Amino acid sequence: LILGINIIISFISVYGFQLFAQSYNFTNYSLKEGLPQSQVREIYQAKDRTLWLGTFGGLSNFDGKEFTSYSKADGLVSNSVTSIVEDNKGQIVFGSEGGINVLQAGKVKTLFKGHEVSYLNKDSQGNIWGITENKLFKLINNRPVFYPIGKNAVTMLSANQEGELFIAVNGKGLYKLNKNTWVLFQAFQP
């Protein structure tokens, strides 16, 4: 036993200086660097590898060096951006507390105005789905078309790593999008 302890102590004293923990470098960005507001609600990485940030002060695109920001002054229906997704044309679509905007050729256009859009996500066919006022919708020709799931509130929309979409329906369970139809995937226990 003493021999084993001596070997461990010798090993640590000889090789201990070579043992070290991983270190990570972090860079903090704030208003000083161009972020429109310090509280980030949503982060989305686009196909071009830039980051889109939804804040309480608007939308920002970060290319790794600088921020390009958009606010109500640029046409947003609300500065409080809640969700971000990229459509199949490479346009950024974002939901806010006031509706849905899309960025087309550097210009902000309004698709839907009046209600908070809490979630946006894209299915495997490239259709954009969202939730507003606890109701599920799909954007068709840049307009929300609602899909009722009974009379219950839709409270969450998410995708797994394979790109399959799921929604949570209050009092019912988890539903999965299967060939453009929402089917019960896992019922909630009563």
Side-chain angles (χ1 to χ4, degrees), residues 9-171:
I9 292 173
S10 298
F11 178 80
I12 291 173
S13 62
V14 171
Y15 295 104
F17 64 91
Q18 293 180 357
L19 301 176
F20 55 91
Q22 293 177 340
S23 62
Y24 296 99
N25 294 322
F26 290 96
T27 303
N28 292 318
Y29 296 99
S30 66
L31 302 175
K32 186 172 63 174
E33 288 79 28
L35 198 57
Q37 208 270 343
S38 62
Q39 294 172 305
V40 176
R41 299 181 71 178
E42 179 78 6
I43 300 173
Y44 181 84
Q45 185 173 16
K47 290 178 193 167
D48 66 2
R49 313 224 2 112
T50 63
L51 291 180
W52 288 90
L53 309 166
T55 73
F56 287 103
L59 179 74
S60 274
N61 179 246
F62 184 63
D63 64 5
K65 295 180 184 175
E66 62 185 14
F67 290 93
T68 302
S69 297
Y70 304 89
S71 69
K72 283 181 81 171
D74 300 300
L76 297 185
V77 292
S78 169
N79 279 338
S80 187
V81 177
T82 57
S83 51
I84 306 168
V85 69
E86 185 174 12
D87 69 12
N88 285 348
K89 299 174 194 170
Q91 300 174 133
I92 300 300
V93 180
F94 40 98
S96 70
E97 289 185 356
I100 304 172
N101 291 106
V102 62
L103 193 63
Q104 296 174 334
K107 302 281 187 209
V108 176
K109 308 263 188 220
T110 300
L111 301 183
F112 171 71
K113 189 174 183 177
H115 301 288
E116 178 176 355
V117 175
S118 52
Y119 293 94
L120 289 174
N121 221 317
K122 187 167 64 168
D123 68 22
S124 57
Q125 281 76 45
N127 299 306
I128 295 177
W129 294 83
I131 298 175
T132 184
E133 294 189 306
N134 293 324
K135 296 176 188 160
L136 179 69
F137 68 86
K138 178 168 78 168
L139 284 180
I140 298 176
N141 297 322
N142 288 334
R143 297 277 174 239
V145 174
F146 290 90
Y147 285 74
I149 309 287
K151 293 184 180 187
N152 298 53
V154 179
T155 58
M156 185 270 313
L157 168 66
S158 189
N160 64 13
Q161 289 180 329
E162 289 78 33
E164 298 172 310
L165 289 187
F166 295 85
I167 56 173
V169 178
N170 193 26

Side-chain angles (χ1 to χ4, degrees), residues 149 152-153 155-156 166-176 183-189:
I149 309 287
N152 298 53
T155 58
M156 185 270 313
F166 295 85
I167 56 173
V169 178
N170 193 26
K172 294 281 188 180
L174 291 177
Y175 283 72
K176 179 181 174 183
V183 294
L184 184 62
F185 178 73
Q186 176 69 50
F188 291 150
Q189 296 298 321

